[in-house]
């Protein structure tokens, strides 16, 4: 089985920069492929998530200078948080700082509470997806504009005039873009048109297979193959609570039972063998990358256990 394995984290639950740095360095030392983080400014339950939020791209910029090999990115940047021109500059700069190790996961935004808390506009869902589509067009357009030329764009929500389209990222034509989610129509269409990777987050194998089929059909409708673009990487998110014993796994799963704004998920709670089996099931439906969501930044043993007992069973790049 060939599978790329990254770790996904949620610092909005409560993690300082130093905590994230310690975790990311261990992710690298353990042989995982990447460290990706959520882009949220607030916890999603009653816990305030002390010491408070850290900005995703500020954090990734710092990690870019303090790691050497792992890929770094977001699952996912909210299109409501940043204007597309400055976001393109930000991501390109972090790509330079990392030597070309960045993935940009981007979505329409969904968690209304954090927008209200921090004074961020939160338009209706249709408009949020319209803005996401324009942001994808602008970001990819800026990165693909040849050096020495300018880029202009006029949409319903954003207008750029003679942008110098700088700086350029290290990766050409730009950092891989991840689009994902459970949406049945617009999400697959946007992934087919703009993305390098489609991610189905934290659902069952059956639900993920259906989502993969929808995005494959969207790729066919868009003529992606005929245009010469690479096939989409298909990835799955897995919520993980693994232990050497059932009691250890259940202890790690305890936060999953807390009330949260997150939609229902399909976690793997149990042994390393059960996680390896689930990864194999995702590989069988076409996934070539998985993002393992680990909840507790302080539980470094969890990270090491998976690296020792699961990663050796996977032959792909990690």
């Amino acid at each position: 089985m060939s599978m790329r394995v990254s770790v996904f984290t949620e610092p909005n639950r409560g993690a300082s920069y130093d905590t994230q740095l310690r975790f990311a360095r261990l992710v690298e030392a353990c042989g995982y492929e990447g460290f990706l983080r959520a882009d949220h400014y607030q916890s999603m339950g009653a816990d305030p998530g002390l010491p408070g939020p850290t900005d995703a791209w500020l954090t990734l910029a710092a990690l870019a200078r303090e790691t050497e090999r792992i890929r770094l990115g977001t699952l996912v940047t909210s299109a409501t948080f940043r204007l597309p021109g400055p976001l393109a500059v930000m991501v390109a700069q972090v790509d330079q700082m990392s030597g070309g190790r960045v993935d940009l996961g981007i979505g329409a935004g969904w968690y209304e509470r954090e927008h209200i808390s921090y004074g961020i506009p939160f338009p209706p869902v249709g408009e949020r997806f319209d803005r996401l589509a324009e942001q994808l067009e602008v970001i990819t357009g800026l990165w693909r504009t040849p050096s020495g030329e300018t880029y202009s764009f006029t949409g319903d929500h954003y207008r750029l005039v003679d942008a110098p389209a700088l700086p350029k990222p290290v990766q050409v034509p730009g950092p891989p873009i991840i689009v994902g989610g459970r949406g049945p129509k617009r999400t697959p269409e946007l992934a087919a048109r703009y993305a390098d990777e489609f991610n189905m987050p934290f659902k069952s194998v059956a639900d993920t297979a259906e989502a993969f089929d929808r995005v494959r059909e969207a790729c066919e409708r868009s003529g992606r193959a005929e245009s010469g673009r690479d096939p989409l990487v298909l990835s799955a998110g897995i919520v993980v609570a693994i232990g050497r014993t059932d009691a250890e796994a259940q202890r790690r799963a305890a936060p999953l039972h807390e009330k949260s704004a997150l939609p229902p998920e399909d976690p793997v709670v149990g042994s390393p063998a059960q996680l390896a089996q689930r990864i194999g099931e995702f590989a069988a439906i076409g996934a070539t990358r998985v993002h393992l969501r680990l909840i507790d930044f302080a539980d470094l043993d969890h990270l090491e256990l998976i690296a020792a007992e699961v990663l050796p069973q996977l032959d792909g790049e990690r």
Side-chain angles (χ1 to χ4, degrees):
M1 173 174 46
S2 179
M3 185 65 71
R4 300 162 57 196
V5 183
S6 293
V7 174
F8 169 67
T9 62
E10 296 178 311
N12 50 291
R13 290 176 176 266
S16 67
Y17 171 73
D18 287 341
T19 296
Q20 293 174 71
L21 173 61
R22 181 177 66 245
F23 200 82
R25 282 177 167 166
L26 186 57
V27 168
E28 184 164 80
C30 283
Y32 295 91
E33 185 202 33
F35 172 91
L36 291 91
R37 57 155 287 167
D39 185 19
H40 285 294
Y41 289 126
Q42 201 160 346
S43 66
M44 295 176 188
D47 191 311
L50 296 176
T54 53
D55 181 83
W57 286 102
L58 276 174
T59 300
L60 294 172
L63 293 177
R65 307 302 291 176
E66 300 197 77
T67 57
E68 297 179 356
R69 179 192 58 79
I70 51 171
R71 297 200 64 80
L72 301 165
T74 48
L75 276 181
V76 293
T77 286
S78 175
T80 57
F81 288 173
R82 303 169 186 88
L83 297 171
L87 178 59
V89 170
M90 249 183 265
V91 179
Q93 183 179 359
V94 178
D95 198 51
Q96 290 181 355
M97 293 167 72
S98 70
R101 294 185 282 124
V102 163
D103 295 328
L104 170 61
I106 185 167
W110 65 272
Y111 188 36
E112 184 176 14
R113 175 182 161 193
E114 66 187 336
H115 291 75
I116 294 171
S117 294
Y118 286 96
I120 302 168
F122 188 71
V125 63
E127 181 180 332
R128 296 202 305 276
F129 270 92
D130 291 343
R131 287 178 176 273
L132 172 61
E134 289 190 17
Q135 289 215 0
L136 286 163
E137 182 70 32
V138 167
I139 291 166
T140 55
L142 287 167
W143 288 343
R144 286 172 168 79
T145 297
S147 294
E149 297 184 13
T150 60
Y151 174 81
S152 296
F153 172 83
T154 299
D156 293 332
H157 303 285
Y158 306 104
R159 183 170 183 259
L160 288 75
V161 180
D162 295 333
L166 296 171
K168 295 301 182 196
V170 171
Q171 298 176 91
V172 177
I177 290 176
I178 306 170
V179 170
R182 303 166 180 87
K185 185 178 179 182
R186 296 199 68 180
T187 298
E189 290 172 351
L190 291 173
R193 183 173 179 182
Y194 294 106
D196 301 282
E197 176 179 335
F198 171 79
N199 175 257
M200 181 59 164
F202 317 122
K203 298 297 285 183
S204 69
V205 175
D207 288 342
T208 303
E210 292 177 2
F212 285 178
D213 286 343
R214 289 193 294 269
V215 81
R216 289 186 183 106
E217 292 166 1
C219 287
E220 290 178 6
R221 289 193 301 271
S222 71
R224 183 185 177 102
E226 290 77 5
S227 68
R229 294 187 63 197
D230 291 337
L232 268 178
V233 171
L234 299 176
S235 68
I238 310 175
V239 181
V240 175
I242 299 303
R244 297 172 184 83
T245 65
D246 184 63
E248 186 175 70
Q250 292 298 329
R251 174 180 60 78
R252 288 180 167 137
L256 302 178
H257 305 302
E258 297 172 2
K259 187 176 180 180
S260 169
L262 288 167
E265 300 166 333
D266 188 37
V268 176
V269 179
S271 67
Q274 287 173 280
L275 176 57
Q277 179 181 344
R278 179 70 63 85
I279 292 173
E281 291 168 352
F282 280 124
I285 63 170
T288 58
R289 189 182 193 188
V290 291
H291 301 280
L292 307 181
R293 193 178 101 201
L294 304 185
I295 297 169
D296 186 357
F297 276 96
D299 190 358
L300 302 181
D301 178 67
H302 198 192
L303 194 63
E304 293 174 325
L305 174 62
I306 296 169
E309 299 294 334
V310 179
L311 294 192
Q313 302 182 50
L314 313 175
D315 296 327
E317 178 187 355
R318 295 188 294 276

